[in-house]
Amino acid sequence: DVTAVGSKKAYADCESNYGGGETCTYEKNFDIEKKVRIAGDSDWEDKVTDVKKGQTVEFRIRVKNTGEVSTNDMEMKDSLPDELNKIGGSGLTENWDDFGEGTTKEFIIQVKVDDSEFDRTGDFEKCVVNEAKVYQDEDSQGSDTATVCYGSGQITELPKTAVGSTTALAVFGIALIGLGLFLKKVSSLA
């Protein structure tokens, strides 16, 4: 049974109750999107690279109610990696009610990479992943991540690979395949 409610909405999961009336089940769905940028940039991305010491990084978390009903008891939790320090913006945990269908909540969190991360010697690049999760009535409704990469200087030389050892492993692998085929042939003749 499809029961129309109002002029624009139809709910497909309604069942008649014994003795009259009906019970309807409404879909609760939420989309979560997490993006990142270096403060001042116009574009939001999944990943920022080459963050320098002292630069502010911004995370944007958007939660959209794509379900059929308004909901209460919503919560967004952002899990900052130890390498990032919150310096402003929204809280790492946000709670709200009356989240209407089709509406979007947006949170901006400002962070900096901990100065001690840049105290390494030599050239390096490190990336950390930040995750935000959304809950409705304490049930997980999804998550999304964004990545921040930082370092000091340019990596000028890649680690050397042992070409000789790779060749030796390839020859050894081919020899094992040959031995396996030989043993298979001998066992089939027996």
Side-chain angles (χ1 to χ4, degrees), residues 126-146:
K126 182 176 180 179
C127 296
V128 293
V129 178
N130 181 302
E131 181 178 38
K133 294 182 180 181
V134 174
Y135 299 88
Q136 195 277 318
D137 196 22
E138 298 183 14
D139 291 329
S140 178
Q141 298 296 325
S143 65
D144 198 11
T145 60

Side-chain angles (χ1 to χ4, degrees), residues 44-114:
W44 292 97
E45 306 288 341
D46 293 327
K47 176 181 183 178
V48 293
T49 58
D50 202 26
V51 174
K52 302 295 184 210
K53 186 174 185 176
Q55 281 186 310
T56 299
V57 175
E58 297 176 318
F59 291 105
R60 180 187 71 193
I61 300 108
R62 286 185 174 166
V63 182
K64 182 174 183 179
N65 182 347
T66 58
E68 299 174 327
V69 294
S70 180
T71 59
N72 290 315
D73 199 19
M74 296 296 301
E75 182 176 56
M76 182 281 298
K77 289 184 179 180
D78 191 282
S79 303
L80 280 182
D82 293 339
E83 296 87 347
L84 303 178
N85 298 319
K86 182 180 178 303
I87 60 169
S90 301
L92 296 178
T93 300
E94 295 282 346
N95 296 286
W96 70 99
D97 289 321
D98 196 26
F99 192 35
E101 55 191 292
T103 61
T104 300
K105 282 288 228 183
E106 182 175 282
F107 308 99
I108 305 288
I109 299 172
Q110 298 168 333
V111 302
K112 285 189 179 179
V113 176
D114 191 278

Side-chain angles (χ1 to χ4, degrees), residues 3-11:
T3 304
V5 178
S7 61
K8 295 183 180 179
K9 188 166 260 230
Y11 300 105

Side-chain angles (χ1 to χ4, degrees), residues 178-190:
L179 178 62
L181 292 172
F182 173 76
L183 291 175
K184 182 178 178 185
K185 179 75 170 175
V186 168
S187 68
S188 68
L189 294 175

